[in-house]
Amino acid sequence: MTALPFDNSYVRLPERFYARRAPTPVAAPRLIRLNRALAETLGLDPDWLSGPEGVAALAGNGVPEGADPIAAAYAGHQFGNFVPQLGDGRAILLGEVVDRLGQRRDIQLKGSGPTPFSRRGDGRAALGPVLREYVVSEAMVALGIPTTRALAAVATGEAVVRETLLPGAVLTRVAASHIRVGTFQFFAARGDVEGVRALADHVVARHYPDAAQAANPYQALLEAVIARQAELVARWLLVGFVHGVMNTDNMSVAGETIDYGPCAFLDAYDPRTVYSSIDRNGRYAYGEQPRIALWNLTRLAETLLPLLADDETASVAEAEAALAGYAARFEAAYHGGLSRKLGLDESHEGDSALAGDLLKRMAENQADFTLTFRNLCAAAERPEADAAVRDLFVDPTAFDGWAVRWRERLALEVRDPAATAAAMRAVNPAFIPRNHRIEAMIEAAVERSDFAPFEALLSVLSRPYADQPDNAPYAEAPAGGGVGYRTFCGT
């Protein structure tokens, strides 16, 4: 087996799309973890990757044969403010492989040293953010949410300077691609229409081949990206995920969750929840994510205007028509998902209002998001199990009033209660990456070089929908409902 069978397409685009740059070697690379199952799916040899040559490649100490390392150029709106040049400041794309399913995948080193886009940064990553992204991205896979993935984490044997000295690490990230809304903005901001066209053609060929057959391939591309993003954000909300920094340079046009910086999961439900320490105005709060996704997609549409039609008026009309489809896509995915979480298999008038009323009562009573829906699974089968749900509400009677209407609605279902409960357990996770568990895992690794909590958390989160009695403490909410918890971008 070839260790890394590269087949690189992005480097065949014009050289203004990227800067060639090899990773910067590190002092003493040591493999923390290799995702052997993912390696095998990619058609890679996990034994080679975990050996000396493989670890050197994963750390950036050696460029494997066939790699063509680059740092990609992109721009972006950061908290609404446009920055015309960002780019990969601490990540280097080694190349692409075609996996066993015939899907093209990027292999990127994150924390691999400075690039021309580093903007005075050191290009390195600290151990904590690397472990956070490894755990959360792999948890998202198990939850069934499109995402970039973690192939490996490697300790560098070097310290990085942040507020304090921290151990350094490199994450090997796998993605359908690393092309972002901000990549299109990079060329549009320079009036480089041919750059936008070349990028759009590449994205169509790589991610949306059906669009090439449409009467207007570029409008079909825009519509396809809009559809994927609408469904992706709906899936985030359904598991309580808060991305934390939905800048346009953090939105993948492939429809995957990307860039796990100040991300977190809801504990007590509140749509205004903000975890990111730098989001002082709540732009990227949990409940704002659908609106921000549309805002970002509008920025993408603006970059494609020169390609959509021959005159500006017609181009704007094409873009507006595509963007008008976002709301229906999102609402169908979100409300359909909420109905499934409540055990509703058929569609009835008032289902969305029933779900919305529950969420309102949860917010008013500081009920834990994940535990409420998981405990409803048993309550759907046995009314005596209501106690476990009631106990999550500051005022338990707030649940009682809603539960009467819920059971009246469940009575209209054809399925028996046991089948309903089983279906609910398949969409309501028992285990999510609880923020306090993530922090404890990072502290153990950073402060004591203890990776046992990291491994244990990965194991539990690999089966989020399964009852795991031996791991019940991992399902528990933190004291105080997690109020006041803050995350940091990790750069």
Side-chain angles (χ1 to χ4, degrees):
M1 179 187 291
T2 303
L4 290 167
F6 287 110
D7 179 23
N8 308 319
S9 65
Y10 201 77
V11 293
R12 294 195 282 272
L13 291 167
E15 290 194 359
R16 64 186 184 278
F17 281 60
Y18 51 81
R20 280 192 160 86
R21 178 59 58 93
T24 303
V26 301
R30 178 176 62 85
L31 183 65
I32 297 170
R33 195 175 203 277
L34 175 69
N35 189 335
R36 296 181 69 90
L38 176 57
E40 290 171 355
T41 299
L42 295 171
L44 309 182
D45 182 352
D47 292 330
W48 183 86
L49 282 171
S50 58
E53 286 184 286
V55 173
L58 296 170
N61 280 26
V63 177
E65 182 180 352
D68 198 345
I70 60 170
Y74 52 83
H77 276 89
Q78 299 195 315
F79 290 88
N81 300 308
F82 185 64
V83 182
Q85 179 168 302
L86 294 167
D88 289 331
R90 59 189 182 115
I92 290 176
L93 176 64
L94 285 183
E96 304 158 24
V97 299
V98 178
D99 68 21
R100 294 187 184 279
L101 300 176
Q103 301 297 311
R104 183 174 294 275
R105 295 286 185 261
D106 282 359
I107 298 182
Q108 182 195 69
L109 302 184
K110 191 172 181 181
S112 51
T115 78
F117 305 110
S118 294
R119 295 181 295 167
R120 299 186 301 278
D122 61 9
R124 292 303 190 186
L127 176 61
V130 164
L131 297 183
R132 178 190 298 274
E133 179 157 351
Y134 196 120
V135 168
V136 179
S137 62
E138 288 305 295
M140 294 286 265
V141 173
L143 288 165
I145 298 173
T147 179
T148 59
R149 297 197 62 181
L151 177 60
V154 175
T156 64
E158 299 176 349
V160 295
V161 181
R162 298 297 182 259
E163 291 82 2
T164 60
L165 289 178
L166 297 169
V170 176
L171 176 77
T172 304
R173 182 163 70 183
V174 174
S177 80
H178 285 83
I179 302 168
R180 310 149 187 272
V181 171
T183 315
F184 281 88
Q185 291 181 294
F186 179 84
F187 299 103
R190 290 157 176 75
D192 185 353
V193 175
E194 289 311 307
V196 173
R197 188 185 307 276
L199 182 62
D201 289 343
H202 178 82
V203 171
V204 167
R206 184 164 181 174
H207 297 302
Y208 304 100
D210 290 347
Q213 310 306 316
N216 187 336
Y218 302 116
Q219 185 185 31
L221 166 63
L222 178 59
E223 290 173 344
V225 175
I226 288 169
R228 284 197 189 175
Q229 285 295 335
E231 291 169 6
L232 177 65
V233 174
R235 291 186 183 191
W236 288 357
L237 267 60
L238 292 169
V239 296
F241 177 72
V242 185
H243 185 281
V245 60
M246 287 179 66
N247 296 330
T248 56
D249 54 293
N250 291 338
M251 178 178 275
S252 162
V253 297
E256 292 182 329
T257 313
I258 191 170
D259 289 332
Y260 292 93
C263 65
F265 282 76
L266 291 180
D267 289 310
Y269 176 74
D270 183 345
R272 300 167 299 177
T273 298
V274 174
Y275 289 122
S276 172
S277 64
I278 57 176
D279 190 3
R280 297 179 179 87
N281 297 316
R283 178 180 175 87
Y284 301 139
Y286 168 83
E288 292 296 312
Q289 293 178 122
R291 181 183 66 82
I292 291 296
L294 178 58
W295 192 93
N296 288 349
L297 290 164
T298 304
R299 308 287 79 76
L300 174 63
E302 290 168 352
T303 71
L304 295 174
L305 287 177
L307 310 185
L308 294 178
D310 292 333
D311 68 84
E312 183 177 354
T313 300
S315 292
V316 170
E318 295 278 13
E320 288 178 343
L323 291 164
Y326 171 86
R329 284 275 190 175
F330 171 78
E331 294 295 334
Y334 179 61
H335 289 293
L338 280 176
S339 290
R340 288 187 292 276
K341 288 174 78 69
L342 294 179
L344 310 181
D345 185 43
E346 303 167 7
S347 179
H348 287 246
E349 186 177 353
D351 287 353
S352 293
L354 181 67
D357 187 37
L358 173 62
L359 292 172
K360 179 176 180 292
R361 292 168 186 243
M362 289 167 61
E364 291 170 347
N365 287 273
Q366 302 164 36
D368 184 85
F369 182 83
T370 301
L371 290 177
T372 297
F373 283 102
R374 185 67 179 191
N375 290 349
L376 278 175
C377 303
E381 189 171 12
R382 298 177 293 104
E384 59 269 26
D386 280 7
V389 188
R390 297 180 81 252
D391 289 347
L392 298 171
F393 286 67
V394 172
D395 175 9
T397 63
F399 171 73
D400 297 339
W402 177 86
V404 171
R405 291 164 45 226
W406 175 53
R407 288 206 164 83
E408 290 173 348
R409 173 61 186 84
L410 284 178
L412 302 178
E413 292 288 311
V414 174
R415 293 184 303 200
D416 63 57
T420 294
M424 291 173 67
R425 290 189 181 95
V427 296
N428 288 311
F431 301 94
I432 59 167
R434 289 283 184 181
N435 304 321
H436 63 297
R437 288 287 181 179
I438 293 282
E439 294 301 332
M441 173 271 293
I442 290 174
E443 181 184 16
V446 170
E447 300 296 332
R448 302 184 295 280
S449 297
D450 178 6
F451 293 94
F454 168 65
E455 293 290 345
L457 197 53
L458 281 172
S459 177
V460 170
L461 295 174
S462 68
R463 299 184 297 130
Y465 298 104
D467 288 322
Q468 303 179 49
D470 292 344
N471 293 314
Y474 286 90
E476 294 174 358
V483 176
Y485 176 71
R486 290 290 177 267
T487 57
F488 301 86
C489 67
T491 56

